[in-house]
Amino acid sequence: MSAVEIIRKKRDGGTLSEGEIQEFIEAVTKGTWPEYQVSALLMAIFFRSMTTEEALLLTRAMVHSGKTLDLSSLPGTKVDKHSTGGVGDKVSLVLAPLAAACGVVVPMMSGRGLGHTGGTLDKLESIPGFKVNLKEDEFLAALKNVGCAMMGQTKDVAPADKMLYGLRDVTATVECMPLITASILSKKIAEGISALVMDVKCGSGSFMKNIASARQLAEMIQAVGKANGLQIRTLITNMEAPLGRMVGNSLEVIEAMNTLQGNGPSDLTELCILQARMMVQLAGIESSDAKAELLVKRALKSGQALDKFREMVKQQGGDPRIVDDPTRLPVAKHIAKVTANSEGYILEQDAYTVGQAAMKLGAGRETAEQKIDPAVGIVVCKKPGEKVKPGDTVYEIHHQGGGAATTATLMLAMSFRIGSQPPKLDPLVLEILE
Ligand code: URA
């Protein structure tokens, strides 16, 4: 079938065959379809969607567009975790060393932030010297020596995803369930893992703004993951407000290290313990919820999880002294404040606006080429449900001067509401799929 016929078929609501999907992905990988035809098909998929079977075929074709890592020389079940992305989501930084301290082998291939969402690689790169561009043998050596390693996607792993993601970003076709499913899972499967904890974010700070669409995405990811032989636990978690209290790259490293020392914010700590427990169970180390959770809590309390983080930083070329002395991380020149102007409770806080404000400061990027500033960001001093008086600091803005701080101040002032009665808050974990 020609490109035009495949586009027309999807445009008219048809179901693409295995051959048609393979032809599309081969053309993307070899560059034989012009970008306008690839974009046209992406838009047709955006409007017409895909069946779970089509998403499965798309995922497989994308896995086969490149190389698959061979982790078979490492003993045990290799377990990774992925989140669909949010604001202040530094769970991976805590989870990889925490699960590794419990005996899980954790190969993590992570991404960069785009728009209002942050990326694990950018956060890690705020650690002086930390190398995320590992070669396959360096990744394997890190996994053997430490038990966890975090790297960026190489050009050989799921190259079709890299090309498609770039086009989706500039054609407004990112927020599409089968495309998200295939994008995430193709990278995870090519990474050579056997099990995955998948955190689908739901709320203003994420792609999925309501529970119905989050559930649909979670179900599609779970079905396609299982059909590809992955053991997978999928949860849907709240992203209406930022996770934790720090947003911005070196600030999030500090908060992750605090959490690894048992001094993290309660929402972040709860989510890390739950997901680490699931990773321990998927690895077959403990089967009962209670025993797996106990193991995780012990790793936090004993300092073993923090030690693992230190080891990982050292193994990947970073300065391990940041663990005991976080002032070695990049620090912004100025701190501005956004204060409350009335008494009451924070009723809601819009994660999307907080993420956008952080991006305007330079903590994130509007386009994939932009450079980020690791030092800038936002500290969320008051969160939904907390009491405030006039003059109380709701946000600290860590900035380098110039107009960005004024823009961020205006945005943040609009990002929360105060009311006289405490709000009824949604739970952090909205659903866990069976
Ligand atoms: N994360 C990915 O890796 N791909 C998507 O499409 C969305 C989030």
Side-chain angles (χ1 to χ4, degrees):
M1 245 193 187
S2 70
V4 177
E5 284 168 315
I6 295 176
I7 296 165
R8 186 181 294 120
K9 186 171 178 188
K10 187 41 84 181
R11 182 201 68 188
D12 294 343
T15 302
L16 299 182
S17 68
E18 183 169 7
E20 288 155 356
I21 290 172
Q22 274 171 357
E23 195 168 320
F24 167 52
I25 293 304
E26 239 180 80
V28 169
T29 316
K30 292 187 182 148
T32 51
W33 281 19
E35 284 187 351
Y36 50 79
Q37 285 184 318
V38 177
S39 304
L41 184 54
L42 289 173
M43 192 55 89
I45 295 170
F46 181 91
F47 280 117
R48 292 298 194 168
S49 195
M50 280 181 144
T51 62
T52 304
E53 175 66 15
E54 283 176 293
L56 169 62
L57 294 169
L58 182 65
T59 306
R60 284 203 182 134
M62 283 165 64
V63 172
H64 292 127
S65 72
K67 208 173 143 183
T68 304
L69 298 193
D70 181 6
L71 304 180
S72 59
S73 60
L74 299 166
T77 308
K78 274 66 74 179
V79 192
D80 192 1
K81 166 263 167 186
H82 190 80
S83 134
T84 53
V87 178
D89 182 359
K90 70 283 290 171
V91 169
S92 293
L93 298 184
V94 181
L95 206 54
L98 176 56
C102 299
V104 185
V105 180
V106 190
M108 263 194 193
M109 206 175 274
S110 304
R112 298 202 177 270
L114 194 60
H116 68 283
T117 62
T120 302
L121 298 181
D122 299 320
K123 294 170 203 188
L124 288 168
E125 279 181 345
S126 68
I127 301 172
F130 197 101
K131 230 174 93 182
V132 295
N133 296 322
L134 300 184
K135 298 199 184 75
E136 191 175 338
D137 57 337
E138 292 173 319
F139 191 52
L140 274 171
L143 288 169
K144 274 190 187 131
N145 293 343
V146 183
C148 60
M150 301 173 99
M151 69 180 277
Q153 186 183 355
T154 67
K155 63 178 189 347
D156 311 323
V157 170
D161 172 62
K162 208 167 181 141
M163 281 169 236
L164 285 180
Y165 201 84
L167 273 182
R168 286 167 61 205
D169 193 36
V170 291
T171 56
T173 50
V174 170
E175 304 91 336
C176 169
M177 287 182 206
L179 297 178
I180 296 175
T181 301
S183 168
I184 292 173
L185 289 180
S186 61
K187 284 174 288 202
K188 294 291 143 192
I189 294 162
E191 180 188 275
I193 54 164
S194 12
L196 179 69
V197 171
M198 183 69 220
D199 182 1
V200 175
K201 298 283 180 204
C202 173
S204 99
S206 61
F207 290 133
M208 298 297 138
K209 305 290 181 202
N210 59 57
I211 188 70
S213 58
R215 196 179 291 135
Q216 238 181 313
L217 177 63
E219 283 169 355
M220 186 176 262
I221 291 176
Q222 176 133 315
V224 172
K226 279 191 176 162
N228 274 294
L230 277 186
Q231 289 187 71
I232 183 162
R233 293 297 314 267
T234 309
L235 60 165
I236 303 173
T237 67
N238 199 330
M239 191 29 82
E240 285 301 344
L243 185 63
R245 291 190 185 269
M246 310 248 192
V247 181
N249 298 286
S250 62
L251 287 170
E252 292 193 42
V253 171
I254 294 172
E255 190 165 64
M257 294 192 300
N258 291 343
T259 306
L260 284 163
Q261 290 174 76
N263 302 323
S266 57
D267 55 352
L268 178 63
T269 304
E270 182 192 334
L271 207 50
C272 291
I273 291 175
L274 172 64
Q275 295 189 21
R277 189 255 274 167
M278 288 177 165
M279 291 173 80
V280 164
Q281 289 174 306
L282 284 169
I285 294 169
E286 283 291 359
S287 55
S288 88
D289 289 358
K291 282 189 180 160
E293 188 165 319
L294 196 65
L295 188 68
V296 170
K297 287 185 170 164
R298 276 204 198 121
L300 278 177
K301 203 155 180 223
S302 64
Q304 284 169 301
L306 186 70
D307 288 345
K308 262 299 161 218
F309 181 79
R310 191 185 279 107
E311 274 177 57
M312 179 180 78
V313 169
K314 191 160 176 228
Q315 173 78 30
Q316 296 196 217
D319 181 354
R321 293 173 299 176
I322 58 127
V323 176
D324 303 303
D325 181 8
T327 62
R328 290 178 179 274
L329 289 165
V331 180
K333 289 194 195 108
H334 310 282
I335 298 180
K337 289 181 176 174
V338 175
T339 54
N341 52 15
S342 58
E343 181 159 353
Y345 297 86
I346 304 282
L347 296 182
E348 55 189 28
Q349 190 164 50
D350 184 45
Y352 176 75
T353 308
V354 177
Q356 287 283 92
M359 185 187 73
K360 295 281 179 209
L361 288 172
R365 46 173 85 75
E366 234 150 335
T367 62
E369 302 76 39
Q370 258 171 4
K371 265 191 125 37
I372 57 155
D373 181 342
V376 298
I378 295 160
V379 178
V380 182
C381 302
K382 297 286 180 189
K383 302 231 326 172
E386 293 178 350
K387 249 182 148 164
V388 286
K389 304 188 297 302
D392 279 355
T393 304
V394 179
Y395 298 107
E396 272 179 17
I397 301 175
H398 292 230
H399 67 101
Q400 308 286 31
T406 313
T407 311
T409 304
L410 292 171
M411 291 172 83
L412 290 171
M414 306 291 287
S415 72
F416 66 97
R417 280 194 311 124
I418 297 174
S420 57
Q421 297 301 316
K424 194 173 165 313
L425 299 174
D426 283 335
L428 176 63
V429 178
L430 298 169
E431 281 180 22
I432 298 178
L433 267 66
E434 285 314 320

